[in-house]
């Protein structure tokens, strides 16, 4: 049984990401892209919808204000860059609250929460996720989304409340830490060699003592991760 979805967001990049993720889940069917709440209200007045992916900071009518206008709202997954509205969202019974940029794994968890039936909790089937990993993804840096090539990631470095994603030709800085990195990028192929560094195994040029040479960079190896690295090299 397909789940009819509506995307309500004023950013075209957000539509592209959600549509791409929905395409990987066979039960999800995106019925319409709405770029403001007024357009969504008009569509919902004549079309049944099971699930809304809803942005909050939109022109004309903000996300939660729009939600309050619906007499019988469908299930809602909030997609926003603003975590301060989470409490209000749960008071309005939203299913989940996704902070941009969110990973496909996090997206699937939210969709499963929306679509599971309490009497029979069977997750939405996913079509071979390992074979559908994107080669390029969008990450949020400052006030914009930037598309990066996953194969070009050399290493990532944690620095305070931020993580630097070091690519072959540029460095992208995102808000977060290594423990939450999977919410932003896939971490398969990345090996942690220091509490502040994870490196791409396939881009390692050489290892000398407690240092890794990777492209034009040198990354430190800490004692606590040395054994793990040595085991990997075997």
């Amino acid at each position: 049984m397909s789940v009819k979805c509506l995307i309500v967001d004023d950013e075209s990049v957000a539509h592209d990401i959600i549509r791409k993720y929905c395409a990987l889940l066979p039960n999800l069917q995106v019925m319409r892209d709405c770029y403001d709440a007024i357009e969504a209200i008009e569509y919902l007045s004549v079309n049944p919808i099971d699930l809304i992916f809803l942005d909050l900071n939109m022109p004309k009518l903000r996300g939660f204000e729009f939600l309050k206008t619906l007499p019988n709202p469908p299930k809602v997954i909030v997609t926003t860059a603003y975590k301060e509205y989470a409490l209000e969202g749960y008071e309005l019974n939203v299913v989940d609250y996704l902070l941009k940029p969110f990973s496909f794994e996090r997206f699937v968890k939210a969709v499963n929460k929306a679509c599971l039936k309490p009497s029979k909790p069977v997750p939405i089937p996913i079509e071979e996720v390992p074979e559908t990993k994107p080669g390029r993804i969008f990450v949020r840096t400052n006030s914009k989304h930037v598309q990066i090539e996953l194969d070009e990631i050399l290493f990532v470095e944690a620095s305070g409340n931020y993580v630097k994603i070091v690519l072959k030709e540029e460095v992208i800085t995102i808000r977060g830490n290594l423990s939450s990195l999977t919410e932003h990028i896939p971490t398969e192929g990345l090996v942690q060699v220091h509490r502040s560094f994870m490196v791409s195994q396939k881009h390692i040029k050489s290892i000398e003592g407690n240092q890794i040479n990777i492209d034009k960079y040198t990354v430190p190896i800490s004692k606590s991760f040395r054994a793990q690295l040595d085991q990997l090299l075997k």
Side-chain angles (χ1 to χ4, degrees):
M1 180 178 178
S2 65
V3 178
K4 295 181 179 179
C5 306
L6 185 69
I7 304 173
V8 186
D9 198 304
D10 63 333
E11 296 182 350
S12 59
V13 170
H15 284 261
D16 292 341
I17 293 171
I18 294 172
R19 270 192 169 274
K20 178 181 70 174
Y21 286 173
C22 286
L24 299 177
L25 298 175
N27 288 18
L28 297 189
Q29 182 179 8
V30 178
M31 305 303 295
R32 180 71 175 267
D33 292 272
C34 295
Y35 288 85
D36 61 58
I38 304 303
E39 184 182 354
I41 290 173
E42 293 175 354
Y43 182 81
L44 288 169
S45 65
V46 293
N47 297 280
I49 286 293
D50 303 308
L51 177 62
I52 299 177
F53 296 102
L54 179 65
D55 186 27
L56 299 183
N57 191 19
M58 296 185 294
K60 298 182 182 178
L61 190 64
R62 295 172 67 86
F64 285 150
E65 293 171 349
F66 152 71
L67 190 55
K68 292 173 183 177
T69 69
L70 303 179
N72 296 298
K75 294 181 179 180
V76 174
I77 295 175
V78 168
T79 60
T80 181
Y82 303 94
K83 63 182 179 181
E84 58 265 31
Y85 301 113
L87 179 59
E88 184 178 359
Y90 288 116
E91 289 175 347
L92 290 171
N93 294 319
V94 303
V95 173
D96 209 340
Y97 197 98
L98 299 182
L99 280 175
K100 298 176 181 177
F102 45 85
S103 66
F104 177 61
E105 179 184 5
R106 183 67 183 86
F107 177 85
V108 171
K109 288 180 180 179
V111 170
N112 276 335
K113 287 173 65 176
C115 300
L116 290 180
K117 295 180 180 180
S119 58
K120 190 178 181 181
V122 180
I124 290 179
I126 304 173
E127 294 182 335
E128 298 298 330
V129 173
E131 297 181 5
T132 56
K133 292 174 184 174
R136 300 176 68 88
I137 63 169
F138 285 93
V139 296
R140 185 179 180 85
T141 175
N142 296 323
S143 59
K144 62 182 179 180
H145 286 82
V146 177
Q147 190 171 200
I148 65 172
E149 185 79 38
L150 293 176
D151 282 344
E152 293 188 356
I153 298 176
L154 301 177
F155 64 91
V156 295
E157 177 185 358
S159 179
N161 294 323
Y162 294 88
V163 174
K164 295 178 182 177
I165 303 175
V166 180
L167 307 168
K168 291 182 179 179
E169 302 295 334
E170 62 180 328
V171 178
I172 304 295
T173 301
I174 63 174
R175 189 170 183 85
N177 51 51
L178 290 188
S179 63
S180 65
L181 189 62
T182 55
E183 297 180 10
H184 304 283
I185 64 172
T187 56
E188 292 84 354
L190 293 179
V191 181
Q192 188 157 5
V193 297
H194 188 279
R195 67 177 183 177
S196 300
F197 290 90
M198 295 178 72
V199 303
S200 172
Q201 183 179 349
K202 66 181 177 182
H203 286 299
I204 295 175
K205 184 186 298 183
S206 63
I207 300 175
E208 300 179 31
N210 292 324
Q211 293 183 330
I212 292 175
N213 296 313
I214 187 165
D215 198 65
K216 59 186 177 183
Y217 301 94
T218 300
V219 175
I221 304 171
S222 68
K223 291 182 179 180
S224 56
F225 289 98
R226 182 75 208 205
Q228 175 181 319
L229 182 60
D230 289 341
Q231 185 64 33
L232 182 67
L233 293 174
K234 294 178 182 179

